[in-house]
């Protein structure tokens, strides 16, 4: 019985090592991105008065990327739980579609599925949905390690940024604009990648209309709700267009 247990344990370790070995190269592009984004987020948290420990715990237990960035302003503004809930829900509503897309892939994966659902951010979803590991690799553990590596990169980058932020002695007034600049760069990069700009135009148009109607202090929630509704209603069209473009030689 002992020999059997040892063999099972050895085989299990072999499966895990193989899955981690194959998953690691897939996660390296995320390391490059999260290194910069996490560093920026950590510095922003630090200059807004949050300790490196608080930033570390936020990254461990939240892991929301854009949600955490928005949370900086939510945590430093007047207490408004309803507003925070609505903004967070609308900002993360796309994860509903992520979850539906991964139902089959996450089926029968046991307890590790709980962590994988928690860690299904944009980049992790993209890799786990499209990557095809070799036949000798356990796909469930492959997706688990992709999720784990991405989470570790975000924690390390953000915590290092927070530590670095405590060492800054010069005035950091206006550094919050780095986040705005970062989102602009992400938007431009997405615009260049997409052949169809309909979703981007939805975002720009609905945000502008909401700004004109509700003003600078109150336009975010109506804009997010409008964008969510527009993308939901046009989902079939957008997916069909993307599929047609992928079929082109």
């Amino acid at each position: 019985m002992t020999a059997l247990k040892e063999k099972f344990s050895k085989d299990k370790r072999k499966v895990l090592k193989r899955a981690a070995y194959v998953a690691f190269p897939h996660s390296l592009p995320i390391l490059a991105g999260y290194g910069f984004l996490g560093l920026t987020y950590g510095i922003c948290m630090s200059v807004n008065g949050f300790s490196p420990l608080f930033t570390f715990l936020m990254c461990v237990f939240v892991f929301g990327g854009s949600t955490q960035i928005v949370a900086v302003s939510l945590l430093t503004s007047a207490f408004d739980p309803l507003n925070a809930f609505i903004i967070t829900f609308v900002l993360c509503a796309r994860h509903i579609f992520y979850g539906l897309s991964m139902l089959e892939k996450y089926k029968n994966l046991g307890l590790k599925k709980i962590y994988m659902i928690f860690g299904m951010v944009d980049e992790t979803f993209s890799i786990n949905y499209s990557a095809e590991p070799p036949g000798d690799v356990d796909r469930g553990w492959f997706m688990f390690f992709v999720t784990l590596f991405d989470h570790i990169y975000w924690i390390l980058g953000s915590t290092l940024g927070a530590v670095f932020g405590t060492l800054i002695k010069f005035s950091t007034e206006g550094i919050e604009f780095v986040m705005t600049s970062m989102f602009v760069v992400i938007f431009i990069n997405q615009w260049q990648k997409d052949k169809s700009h309909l979703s981007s135009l939805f975002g720009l148009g609905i945000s502008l209309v909401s700004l004109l109607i509700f003003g600078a202090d109150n336009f975010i929630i109506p804009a997010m709700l409008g964008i969510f509704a527009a993308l939901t209603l046009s989902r079939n069209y957008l997916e069909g267009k993307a599929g047609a473009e992928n079929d082109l030689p």
Side-chain angles (χ1 to χ4, degrees):
M1 183 63 71
T2 303
L4 208 63
K5 287 183 178 179
E6 288 179 357
K7 183 179 185 306
F8 176 79
S9 179
K10 185 177 180 180
D11 290 343
K12 188 70 172 179
R13 288 198 300 269
K14 186 176 179 181
V15 169
L16 295 179
K17 286 175 66 176
R18 176 64 176 155
Y21 178 80
V22 174
F24 180 66
H26 285 272
S27 71
L28 284 178
I30 311 304
L31 171 61
Y34 278 10
F36 171 74
L37 295 180
L39 196 69
T40 306
Y41 166 70
I43 292 173
C44 191
M45 284 286 284
S46 181
V47 300
N48 276 279
F50 299 102
S51 69
L53 177 60
F54 185 89
T55 303
F56 170 79
L57 293 175
M58 275 281 289
C59 294
V60 170
F61 294 108
V62 179
F63 191 30
S66 56
T67 306
Q68 287 180 245
I69 293 170
V70 172
V72 177
S73 61
L74 294 177
L75 290 169
T76 54
S77 59
F79 181 67
D80 189 351
L82 179 60
N83 181 58
F85 171 78
I86 294 174
I87 289 178
T88 303
F89 177 78
V90 175
L91 192 62
C92 296
R94 65 191 184 281
H95 290 81
I96 296 173
F97 302 114
Y98 291 173
L100 292 173
S101 301
M102 298 299 286
L103 281 175
E104 192 63 32
K105 293 181 183 292
Y106 281 10
K107 190 176 180 181
N108 301 322
L109 293 184
L111 291 177
K112 60 179 174 288
K113 178 170 64 175
I114 298 174
Y115 174 71
M116 291 160 62
I117 292 171
F118 160 77
M120 191 164 55
V121 294
D122 297 351
E123 295 78 10
T124 301
F125 165 77
S126 178
I127 295 174
N128 284 341
Y129 184 79
S130 59
E132 290 295 335
D136 64 330
V137 175
D138 184 294
R139 186 179 184 89
W141 283 113
F142 169 83
M143 294 188 294
F144 174 86
F145 280 112
V146 168
T147 306
L148 179 63
F149 288 144
D150 290 352
H151 194 186
I152 291 172
Y153 301 153
W154 180 250
I155 293 171
L156 289 177
S158 301
T159 305
L160 286 174
V163 172
F164 179 71
T166 63
L167 304 177
I168 296 177
K169 303 302 180 184
F170 53 85
S171 173
T172 57
E173 183 179 357
I175 196 172
E176 293 84 357
F177 185 72
V178 170
M179 294 300 178
T180 305
S181 304
M182 182 185 69
F183 279 119
V184 171
V185 171
I186 292 173
F187 174 80
I188 293 173
N189 183 57
Q190 195 65 38
W191 178 279
Q192 292 174 336
K193 285 183 178 180
D194 290 342
K195 294 182 180 179
S196 171
H197 302 306
L198 184 59
S199 57
S200 299
L201 292 174
F202 275 149
L204 291 173
I206 294 173
S207 297
L208 179 59
V209 171
S210 299
L211 178 62
L212 294 174
I213 295 175
F214 299 101
D217 294 330
N218 303 302
F219 83 99
I220 293 180
I221 292 178
M224 287 184 168
L225 291 172
I227 293 168
F228 176 64
L231 292 176
T232 301
L233 293 173
S234 60
R235 181 189 174 199
N236 291 335
Y237 172 79
L238 291 171
E239 288 182 345
K241 194 171 183 63
E245 289 172 351
N246 291 333
D247 290 337
L248 292 176

